[in-house]
Every structure is written in C-alpha cells, then in structure tokens.
Amino acid sequence: GLDRYGEATGNLNGTEEKKFKRFESYKRDNQFPPRVKDLIVVVDQKNSTIVVPIMGRPVPFHINTIKNASRNVEGEWAYLRINFLSPGQGVGRKDDQPFEDPSAHFVRSLTFRSRDLDRMEDITTQITDMKKSAIRREQEKKEMEDVVEQDKLIEVRNRRPFRLDPIFVRPAMDGKRVAGAVEIHQNGLRYQHPLGTAQRIDILFSNIQHLFFQPCQHELIVIIHVHLKNPILVGKKKTRDVQFYREATEMQFDETGNRKRKHRYGDEEEFEAEQEERRRRVQLDKEFKNFAEKIADAGKNDNLSVDIPFRELGFNG
C-alpha cells in the first residue's frame, strides 16, 4: 500500500515559499497605446493593463496588481478610485502577498477626478470586466495544471483488437447520444464514437488507477468504470473517471414484431418477457466481465486488476 500510494501524495511536510508574483505589461516604451500621450486613463485590453497619468507621465499597472475599481459622484465631479493589492490587507486570506522588502512602501489606492461622468463610469466597468476575466483565466490555468500530456496509444496491428459495442460513455460526449465502441490496444483503451475521430477517448493502462466492473443485478445499466491517476480531457472537460456502460432494460428491444402474439396474451407473455430479460442480463454481465478481464489482462504490466463491488457490503447513503 505504501509503495502504491506513496508517490501520489507528494511531500506533505514541506512548506511552500510564498513568492511575490511579478507581471510585466510592456517591455519597451513604444509598446504603450498611442492614446497615453493625452495623459488620460487608458484601459489596454490587449496587454491586460491600465495606464494612468501620474505627475504628467503615463504609468502602467498590470490588472493582476489591481484589486478593484470604483466610481462615485460628488456634485459635478466623478471620482475614480483604483485599489491595489498590497501585503497585509487580506486578513487570513490564502493568497496573502508576502513582504519581500520590509522597508518598501505600497500604494494602496489612486483616485482620479473628472467632470466626464460617463467616461468614468465606462472606465470603471472596463476595469471590473478585465479583472473578472483575469481571475477566470487564472482559475482555468490552475484547473488544467494537473492534466498531463499522455503518451500516444499504440494500436494493435496484426489482428483485430478486442472490442465491445454498442457502448455509451460517461461523461457524455457533446452532441447526440450515440453508442460507440471500446477497443483494447497494446498500451490502452480507445473509445471510438461513430460520428468521427474527433469524438475519441484514449485511456492508457499506465494512467489507470482502478478498474471496476459492476454487473447489472439490481441495476439498470452494466458498467466498466475506470478511475485515472491523472485527469484527461474529454471534450473540454477535465475528468478523472470514465464509465463505459450499456442499458440492461427492456427499452432497446422492440417486441411488436412477434408472430406468437396472436395466440397468447397476458401472464404467459409477461413471464416469457421476464425470463428473456433475465437471460439477457446474465449474458450482458458475462460479456462485460469478460471484457473487463481482458482489459486487466492486457494491462497486467501496469498492475491492473478488476474490482467488482460487493453488493452485501453496499448501503444507501
């Protein structure tokens, strides 16, 4: 157990050094937007920067150094206040800024006043929107950090790969719900969607942490569930768990074409249908279990084994 899970946790007792993040808006003077020479507040969307006039020269501030902006009106003047992030202001916040230089001074806020009320309103909105999108970008980047570039799937060449179809997959692909097929290749699984190769999921054996098979007793579906070590992208969503399943209920089978209908009605027919469903469920379980075992067999170099849930130990929560 220690061997198996030791490398996943990383060092729990190491402390992370807080660093002051540095941002650069412009490398050279000639990259400033041309409007700064009018000495007005310029919101430069392309470089995520706000350029403000201070003592007769344009000074750029990166959006990540700004906390927020607000506007209020007093008489005929509109005041634009820009608050900056500085150390020691967020009490108990995780992303507290560290003090790198104890003697350094921080500007907490700048206030500008203008008679052009609409323009001040507009600038405030622009800064707020820019801040929102910067935060969103940061979050997306953070989310995608643990998505690892996977190796390529090596396809089986000299024979047809073992395959199971029709199969549905969760998380569902974009577009219509159409069944695809799962194939076992040399170093992983491939889910092929009939609508084209864009809708394809490759899972490498080396990235599978757990492989589960859940029979369809007491269930509406029969499942092969794969829990991954590193998340992969399915469509645009990051996912750690992929399920291949098929429904075990009556729905896919159309019974109307039976010739026997004329002679028999009622209970016998129902009884026969139930028996048929039972037979089909057993068949499904067998098919899926065999396939799960084939997966484990193909991935035995990566210590893959099939786990099956114990019904007796299950409970509803």
Side-chain angles (χ1 to χ4, degrees), residues 235-247:
K236 291 192 177 59
K237 289 197 284 286
K238 184 177 93 166
T239 178
R240 266 201 120 102
D241 293 276
V242 182
Q243 275 190 1
F244 305 114
Y245 68 96
R246 194 187 300 167
E247 284 152 4

Side-chain angles (χ1 to χ4, degrees), residues 107-226:
V107 178
R108 279 278 170 93
S109 68
L110 294 172
T111 308
F112 298 87
R113 72 175 189 168
S114 160
R115 292 206 166 144
D116 190 343
L117 308 187
D118 293 345
R119 178 160 158 73
M120 284 303 184
E121 173 72 18
D122 186 37
I123 288 175
T124 315
T125 316
Q126 282 185 29
I127 295 177
T128 310
D129 290 349
M130 193 161 35
K131 184 71 194 163
K132 274 187 198 149
S133 58
I135 290 173
R136 196 173 58 240
R137 274 200 307 274
E138 278 290 299
Q139 281 172 339
E140 280 172 6
K141 205 167 112 194
K142 223 187 212 118
E143 243 185 20
M144 290 306 168
E145 265 173 0
D146 50 355
V147 175
V148 180
E149 184 64 41
Q150 292 204 78
D151 298 336
K152 286 276 175 279
L153 186 83
I154 304 167
E155 296 187 15
V156 174
R157 285 273 173 246
N158 45 10
R159 59 178 174 78
R160 292 197 55 187
F162 295 121
R163 60 185 288 157
L164 192 59
D165 67 329
I167 292 291
F168 294 103
V169 68
R170 286 197 284 211
M173 298 289 217
D174 317 332
K176 287 211 285 286
R177 185 169 170 273
V178 183
V182 186
E183 298 175 346
I184 303 179
H185 288 281
Q186 278 182 33
N187 62 342
L189 302 175
R190 167 168 286 170
Y191 175 78
Q192 278 282 51
H193 201 272
L195 298 181
T197 54
Q199 306 267 29
R200 168 192 280 183
I201 306 175
D202 286 353
I203 298 170
L204 298 189
F205 295 139
S206 54
N207 193 22
I208 297 180
Q209 188 164 2
H210 301 295
L211 174 67
F212 301 105
F213 157 67
Q214 179 173 290
C216 55
Q217 294 142 3
H218 321 298
E219 293 286 338
L220 295 176
I221 55 178
V222 53
I223 302 175
I224 290 179
H225 180 108
V226 180

Side-chain angles (χ1 to χ4, degrees), residues 68-72 79-83 108-112:
N68 52 28
S70 61
R71 180 202 77 129
N72 57 344
Y79 289 86
L80 167 71
R81 177 175 168 143
I82 299 176
N83 296 317
R108 279 278 170 93
S109 68
L110 294 172
T111 308
F112 298 87

